[in-house]
PDB file of all heavy atoms in Angstrom:
ATOM      1  N   MET A  22      21.453 -13.750   1.977  1.00 88.00           N
ATOM      2  CA  MET A  22      21.469 -14.319   3.277  1.00 88.00           C
ATOM      3  C   MET A  22      22.515 -15.409   3.457  1.00 88.00           C
ATOM      4  O   MET A  22      23.241 -15.387   4.552  1.00 88.00           O
ATOM      5  CB  MET A  22      20.055 -14.914   3.573  1.00 88.00           C
ATOM      6  CG  MET A  22      19.940 -15.835   4.810  1.00 88.00           C
ATOM      7  SD  MET A  22      20.234 -14.949   6.393  1.00 88.00           S
ATOM      8  CE  MET A  22      20.308 -16.299   7.404  1.00 88.00           C
ATOM      9  N   ILE A  23      22.728 -16.259   2.564  1.00 87.00           N
ATOM     10  CA  ILE A  23      23.782 -17.284   2.770  1.00 87.00           C
ATOM     11  C   ILE A  23      25.145 -16.843   2.338  1.00 87.00           C
ATOM     12  O   ILE A  23      26.120 -17.500   2.557  1.00 87.00           O
ATOM     13  CB  ILE A  23      23.342 -18.532   1.999  1.00 87.00           C
ATOM     14  CG1 ILE A  23      23.155 -18.352   0.543  1.00 87.00           C
ATOM     15  CG2 ILE A  23      22.045 -19.140   2.610  1.00 87.00           C
ATOM     16  CD1 ILE A  23      22.922 -19.579  -0.256  1.00 87.00           C
ATOM     17  N   SER A  24      25.159 -15.655   1.648  1.00 86.00           N
ATOM     18  CA  SER A  24      26.568 -15.203   1.121  1.00 86.00           C
ATOM     19  C   SER A  24      27.235 -14.232   2.069  1.00 86.00           C
ATOM     20  O   SER A  24      28.422 -14.189   2.078  1.00 86.00           O
ATOM     21  CB  SER A  24      26.329 -14.542  -0.227  1.00 86.00           C
ATOM     22  OG  SER A  24      25.849 -15.463  -1.177  1.00 86.00           O
ATOM     23  N   PHE A  25      26.453 -13.425   2.804  1.00 86.00           N
ATOM     24  CA  PHE A  25      27.070 -12.520   3.719  1.00 86.00           C
ATOM     25  C   PHE A  25      27.794 -13.111   4.892  1.00 86.00           C
ATOM     26  O   PHE A  25      27.415 -14.224   5.306  1.00 86.00           O
ATOM     27  CB  PHE A  25      25.992 -11.495   4.173  1.00 86.00           C
ATOM     28  CG  PHE A  25      25.575 -10.494   3.203  1.00 86.00           C
ATOM     29  CD1 PHE A  25      24.251 -10.064   3.244  1.00 86.00           C
ATOM     30  CD2 PHE A  25      26.375  -9.981   2.238  1.00 86.00           C
ATOM     31  CE1 PHE A  25      23.762  -9.054   2.329  1.00 86.00           C
ATOM     32  CE2 PHE A  25      25.948  -9.063   1.302  1.00 86.00           C
ATOM     33  CZ  PHE A  25      24.582  -8.674   1.334  1.00 86.00           C
ATOM     34  N   THR A  26      28.739 -12.411   5.400  1.00 80.00           N
ATOM     35  CA  THR A  26      29.478 -12.958   6.580  1.00 80.00           C
ATOM     36  C   THR A  26      29.124 -12.187   7.888  1.00 80.00           C
ATOM     37  O   THR A  26      29.287 -12.746   8.920  1.00 80.00           O
ATOM     38  CB  THR A  26      30.980 -12.813   6.385  1.00 80.00           C
ATOM     39  OG1 THR A  26      31.283 -11.434   6.123  1.00 80.00           O
ATOM     40  CG2 THR A  26      31.473 -13.745   5.208  1.00 80.00           C
ATOM     41  N   ARG A  27      28.555 -11.018   7.757  1.00 79.00           N
ATOM     42  CA  ARG A  27      28.076 -10.293   8.978  1.00 79.00           C
ATOM     43  C   ARG A  27      26.649 -10.622   9.238  1.00 79.00           C
ATOM     44  O   ARG A  27      25.855 -10.686   8.373  1.00 79.00           O
ATOM     45  CB  ARG A  27      28.265  -8.811   8.771  1.00 79.00           C
ATOM     46  CG  ARG A  27      29.713  -8.371   8.659  1.00 79.00           C
ATOM     47  CD  ARG A  27      29.780  -6.906   8.685  1.00 79.00           C
ATOM     48  NE  ARG A  27      31.106  -6.556   9.200  1.00 79.00           N
ATOM     49  CZ  ARG A  27      31.388  -5.525   9.881  1.00 79.00           C
ATOM     50  NH1 ARG A  27      30.443  -4.754  10.249  1.00 79.00           N
ATOM     51  NH2 ARG A  27      32.578  -5.341  10.300  1.00 79.00           N
ATOM     52  N   VAL A  28      26.364 -10.833  10.538  1.00 78.00           N
ATOM     53  CA  VAL A  28      25.039 -11.346  10.951  1.00 78.00           C
ATOM     54  C   VAL A  28      23.972 -10.285  10.702  1.00 78.00           C
ATOM     55  O   VAL A  28      22.873 -10.569  10.301  1.00 78.00           O
ATOM     56  CB  VAL A  28      25.080 -11.818  12.430  1.00 78.00           C
ATOM     57  CG1 VAL A  28      23.798 -12.364  12.856  1.00 78.00           C
ATOM     58  CG2 VAL A  28      26.178 -12.837  12.654  1.00 78.00           C
ATOM     59  N   VAL A  29      24.338  -9.044  10.862  1.00 79.00           N
ATOM     60  CA  VAL A  29      23.359  -7.925  10.670  1.00 79.00           C
ATOM     61  C   VAL A  29      22.926  -7.891   9.208  1.00 79.00           C
ATOM     62  O   VAL A  29      21.703  -7.757   8.936  1.00 79.00           O
ATOM     63  CB  VAL A  29      24.010  -6.591  11.163  1.00 79.00           C
ATOM     64  CG1 VAL A  29      23.021  -5.424  10.879  1.00 79.00           C
ATOM     65  CG2 VAL A  29      24.256  -6.662  12.642  1.00 79.00           C
ATOM     66  N   HIS A  30      23.865  -7.992   8.343  1.00 85.00           N
ATOM     67  CA  HIS A  30      23.496  -8.030   6.941  1.00 85.00           C
ATOM     68  C   HIS A  30      22.666  -9.281   6.577  1.00 85.00           C
ATOM     69  O   HIS A  30      21.787  -9.219   5.665  1.00 85.00           O
ATOM     70  CB  HIS A  30      24.848  -7.999   6.022  1.00 85.00           C
ATOM     71  CG  HIS A  30      25.598  -6.868   6.264  1.00 85.00           C
ATOM     72  ND1 HIS A  30      26.952  -6.788   6.047  1.00 85.00           N
ATOM     73  CD2 HIS A  30      25.309  -5.542   6.669  1.00 85.00           C
ATOM     74  CE1 HIS A  30      27.396  -5.554   6.207  1.00 85.00           C
ATOM     75  NE2 HIS A  30      26.475  -4.775   6.647  1.00 85.00           N
ATOM     76  N   MET A  31      22.933 -10.368   7.248  1.00 84.00           N
ATOM     77  CA  MET A  31      22.114 -11.583   6.968  1.00 84.00           C
ATOM     78  C   MET A  31      20.723 -11.320   7.433  1.00 84.00           C
ATOM     79  O   MET A  31      19.752 -11.737   6.677  1.00 84.00           O
ATOM     80  CB  MET A  31      22.686 -12.723   7.721  1.00 84.00           C
ATOM     81  CG  MET A  31      23.986 -13.277   7.187  1.00 84.00           C
ATOM     82  SD  MET A  31      24.532 -14.589   8.294  1.00 84.00           S
ATOM     83  CE  MET A  31      26.031 -15.007   7.611  1.00 84.00           C
ATOM     84  N   VAL A  32      20.573 -10.744   8.545  1.00 83.00           N
ATOM     85  CA  VAL A  32      19.157 -10.429   9.044  1.00 83.00           C
ATOM     86  C   VAL A  32      18.387  -9.440   8.110  1.00 83.00           C
ATOM     87  O   VAL A  32      17.191  -9.655   7.882  1.00 83.00           O
ATOM     88  CB  VAL A  32      19.229  -9.926  10.505  1.00 83.00           C
ATOM     89  CG1 VAL A  32      17.832  -9.409  10.935  1.00 83.00           C
ATOM     90  CG2 VAL A  32      19.742 -10.995  11.482  1.00 83.00           C
ATOM     91  N   ILE A  33      19.068  -8.487   7.650  1.00 87.00           N
ATOM     92  CA  ILE A  33      18.430  -7.489   6.767  1.00 87.00           C
ATOM     93  C   ILE A  33      18.056  -8.218   5.461  1.00 87.00           C
ATOM     94  O   ILE A  33      16.886  -8.015   4.912  1.00 87.00           O
ATOM     95  CB  ILE A  33      19.383  -6.271   6.430  1.00 87.00           C
ATOM     96  CG1 ILE A  33      19.479  -5.555   7.742  1.00 87.00           C
ATOM     97  CG2 ILE A  33      18.841  -5.474   5.285  1.00 87.00           C
ATOM     98  CD1 ILE A  33      20.528  -4.416   7.588  1.00 87.00           C
ATOM     99  N   SER A  34      18.887  -9.070   4.928  1.00 89.00           N
ATOM    100  CA  SER A  34      18.565  -9.766   3.672  1.00 89.00           C
ATOM    101  C   SER A  34      17.378 -10.801   3.947  1.00 89.00           C
ATOM    102  O   SER A  34      16.529 -11.024   3.033  1.00 89.00           O
ATOM    103  CB  SER A  34      19.735 -10.500   3.012  1.00 89.00           C
ATOM    104  OG  SER A  34      20.236 -11.362   3.941  1.00 89.00           O
ATOM    105  N   LEU A  35      17.336 -11.346   5.160  1.00 87.00           N
ATOM    106  CA  LEU A  35      16.279 -12.231   5.462  1.00 87.00           C
ATOM    107  C   LEU A  35      14.993 -11.457   5.621  1.00 87.00           C
ATOM    108  O   LEU A  35      13.883 -11.953   5.153  1.00 87.00           O
ATOM    109  CB  LEU A  35      16.597 -12.991   6.816  1.00 87.00           C
ATOM    110  CG  LEU A  35      15.628 -14.045   7.220  1.00 87.00           C
ATOM    111  CD1 LEU A  35      15.710 -15.185   6.255  1.00 87.00           C
ATOM    112  CD2 LEU A  35      16.031 -14.537   8.594  1.00 87.00           C
ATOM    113  N   GLY A  36      14.971 -10.259   6.128  1.00 87.00           N
ATOM    114  CA  GLY A  36      13.833  -9.467   6.154  1.00 87.00           C
ATOM    115  C   GLY A  36      13.316  -9.062   4.767  1.00 87.00           C
ATOM    116  O   GLY A  36      12.120  -9.041   4.528  1.00 87.00           O
ATOM    117  N   VAL A  37      14.283  -8.822   3.866  1.00 91.00           N
ATOM    118  CA  VAL A  37      13.856  -8.445   2.484  1.00 91.00           C
ATOM    119  C   VAL A  37      13.130  -9.701   1.853  1.00 91.00           C
ATOM    120  O   VAL A  37      12.086  -9.571   1.194  1.00 91.00           O
ATOM    121  CB  VAL A  37      15.022  -8.011   1.638  1.00 91.00           C
ATOM    122  CG1 VAL A  37      14.782  -8.075   0.150  1.00 91.00           C
ATOM    123  CG2 VAL A  37      15.507  -6.674   2.131  1.00 91.00           C
ATOM    124  N   THR A  38      13.678 -10.898   2.213  1.00 92.00           N
ATOM    125  CA  THR A  38      13.118 -12.104   1.611  1.00 92.00           C
ATOM    126  C   THR A  38      11.694 -12.370   2.220  1.00 92.00           C
ATOM    127  O   THR A  38      10.728 -12.654   1.477  1.00 92.00           O
ATOM    128  CB  THR A  38      13.956 -13.333   2.012  1.00 92.00           C
ATOM    129  OG1 THR A  38      15.267 -13.126   1.509  1.00 92.00           O
ATOM    130  CG2 THR A  38      13.401 -14.602   1.419  1.00 92.00           C
ATOM    131  N   PHE A  39      11.563 -12.110   3.562  1.00 90.00           N
ATOM    132  CA  PHE A  39      10.173 -12.297   4.139  1.00 90.00           C
ATOM    133  C   PHE A  39       9.111 -11.336   3.536  1.00 90.00           C
ATOM    134  O   PHE A  39       8.073 -11.702   3.286  1.00 90.00           O
ATOM    135  CB  PHE A  39      10.321 -12.173   5.694  1.00 90.00           C
ATOM    136  CG  PHE A  39      10.907 -13.336   6.286  1.00 90.00           C
ATOM    137  CD1 PHE A  39      11.616 -13.143   7.520  1.00 90.00           C
ATOM    138  CD2 PHE A  39      10.834 -14.615   5.824  1.00 90.00           C
ATOM    139  CE1 PHE A  39      12.167 -14.175   8.215  1.00 90.00           C
ATOM    140  CE2 PHE A  39      11.468 -15.668   6.503  1.00 90.00           C
ATOM    141  CZ  PHE A  39      12.089 -15.462   7.653  1.00 90.00           C
TER     142      PHE A  39
END
Side-chain angles (χ1 to χ4, degrees):
M22 166 64 189
I23 59 174
S24 298
F25 286 146
T26 56
R27 292 189 156 214
V28 182
V29 175
H30 297 156
M31 290 177 182
V32 170
I33 291 171
S34 61
L35 188 65
V37 168
T38 304
F39 286 152

